[in-house]
Amino acid sequence: MTIQHPTPTTPLRGRMIADMSARNLGPASQTSHLRACKRFASWLGRSPETASPDDVKHFQLHLIESGTSICTRNQTMTGLKFLFRVTLRRHDLAAEVFHLKKPVKVPLVLSRNEVKRVLAMAPGLKARVMLSLAYGCGLRASEVVRLKVGDIDGEQNIIRIVQSKGRKDRNVMLPVDILSLLRVWWTERPTVNDRGVSGPDRALFPGYCGRHLSARQISRLFKQAVLAAGITKPVTLHTLRHSFATHLLERGVDIRIIQALLGHAKLTTTAHYASVATGMISAVESPLDGLTAAKRRKGAS
């Protein structure tokens, strides 16, 4: 994959791009690392090659004091650590980089009825198909918009997710309802940019100039559906993926199967959904119930 970097390339930037490409870093990681180095250079006022360990310490303090979120701050320092350790080979600078522990938050999920309302209020067939894929198959926004015709296997009832997060492939189920929606969508799908593109390689949800839609576009469609459904929770499109995992867990699906469907590398990541499986939590008998039941039995005797 050719990764374009519109910013004029300095010798240091060129070396870093070459180092990242040699290590097969994805486009998103490369962009993030370069943005981090640009931010550090802007704060420093000179080339990062001239930085001292104290500069790295003070920059991290600057990020904290300026109100930068922990996630963005850690992401920035990850990019700088790559620059220091790999490109500059300045291990004295890399040693000064530290990461802050992010607070553990319970992911927000929608109830089954809320999901049903969102899908019903989707603004058009295309939006309904994409949102159904996000919830019904547990897909990320980027995975939905990047789907190609050849990724849909109606014979085996699976969808192939090719080179997603972490450069990993996986298979997910293809529900009957979604397959029916896809067949209807196929009759309405724009074909103006299909010329010269083989059938399996055609974007399932084409955008401009033969490219697929962007993740931002599907997020906007989701927000429209949420608003129309009268849901006031601060949800995002990723909430559908959280809801997919939680609802499967509540139905008794093995957590390792859910891990495979989500493409999680670690089981501990998937296990977080146990904390929001309200059906499972509400079904647990409190020890207080046991005490009151014992009192009733004692009183009856």
Side-chain angles (χ1 to χ4, degrees), residues 12-191:
L12 178 59
R13 183 184 178 90
R15 285 163 51 198
M16 185 172 178
I17 291 173
D19 287 335
M20 292 189 294
S21 299
R23 285 157 181 77
N24 206 24
L25 267 63
S29 294
Q30 292 201 28
T31 300
S32 175
H33 286 4
L34 291 172
R35 185 185 300 117
C37 296
K38 182 179 180 180
R39 183 172 185 176
F40 178 61
S42 178
W43 173 85
L44 189 63
R46 59 183 192 275
S47 173
E49 291 182 281
T50 65
S52 68
D54 282 342
D55 290 329
V56 179
K57 292 179 183 177
H58 294 154
F59 178 66
Q60 292 177 98
L61 182 61
H62 160 73
L63 291 177
I64 296 172
E65 292 178 343
S66 62
T68 304
S69 69
I70 292 177
C71 182
T72 301
R73 184 254 177 228
N74 287 346
Q75 191 177 54
T76 299
M77 297 316 299
T78 297
L80 285 179
K81 191 168 186 177
F82 183 93
L83 171 69
F84 298 151
R85 184 174 58 84
V86 179
T87 302
L88 295 179
R89 298 189 181 278
R90 290 285 304 277
H91 297 288
D92 59 325
L93 300 183
E96 299 298 333
V97 174
F98 62 90
H99 287 75
L100 300 177
K101 188 175 181 180
K102 293 186 291 186
V104 178
K105 296 183 179 180
V106 175
L108 188 65
V109 301
L110 295 170
S111 69
R112 291 176 178 81
N113 182 57
E114 287 172 326
V115 173
K116 186 177 180 179
R117 284 158 49 196
V118 169
L119 297 180
M121 299 307 296
L125 176 62
K126 178 174 67 175
R128 186 174 298 109
V129 177
M130 291 194 293
L131 297 182
S132 296
L133 283 164
Y135 170 71
C137 306
L139 304 187
R140 302 176 178 92
S142 60
E143 294 170 347
V144 173
V145 298
R146 291 176 183 274
L147 283 174
K148 296 181 179 180
V149 174
D151 297 332
I152 309 300
D153 190 338
E155 291 294 325
Q156 299 188 75
N157 291 325
I158 61 171
I159 300 175
R160 299 184 183 89
I161 310 302
V162 181
Q163 292 295 285
S164 186
K165 187 176 181 179
R167 294 183 178 273
K168 294 182 293 185
D169 294 350
R170 74 179 191 279
N171 293 328
V172 298
M173 74 284 267
L174 174 57
V176 174
D177 289 347
I178 291 181
L179 180 58
S180 298
L181 279 174
L182 285 171
R183 284 172 174 161
V184 177
W185 167 245
W186 186 250
T187 64
E188 297 189 15
R189 173 185 168 277
T191 59

Side-chain angles (χ1 to χ4, degrees), residues 178-252:
I178 291 181
L179 180 58
S180 298
L181 279 174
L182 285 171
R183 284 172 174 161
V184 177
W185 167 245
W186 186 250
T187 64
E188 297 189 15
R189 173 185 168 277
T191 59
V192 64
N193 292 310
D194 285 350
R195 182 176 299 177
V197 182
S198 62
D201 292 330
R202 292 173 182 172
L204 194 57
F205 304 104
Y208 295 107
C209 301
R211 292 178 55 82
H212 57 73
L213 293 177
S214 70
R216 288 185 178 181
Q217 288 171 296
I218 183 177
S219 293
R220 283 196 293 269
L221 293 172
F222 171 73
K223 289 180 181 179
Q224 292 177 32
V226 168
L227 184 63
I231 295 173
T232 58
K233 294 179 180 178
V235 294
T236 66
L237 182 64
H238 208 69
T239 303
L240 292 180
R241 179 171 157 90
H242 292 323
S243 302
F244 163 84
T246 303
H247 295 164
L248 285 183
L249 193 60
E250 290 177 342
R251 286 169 51 190

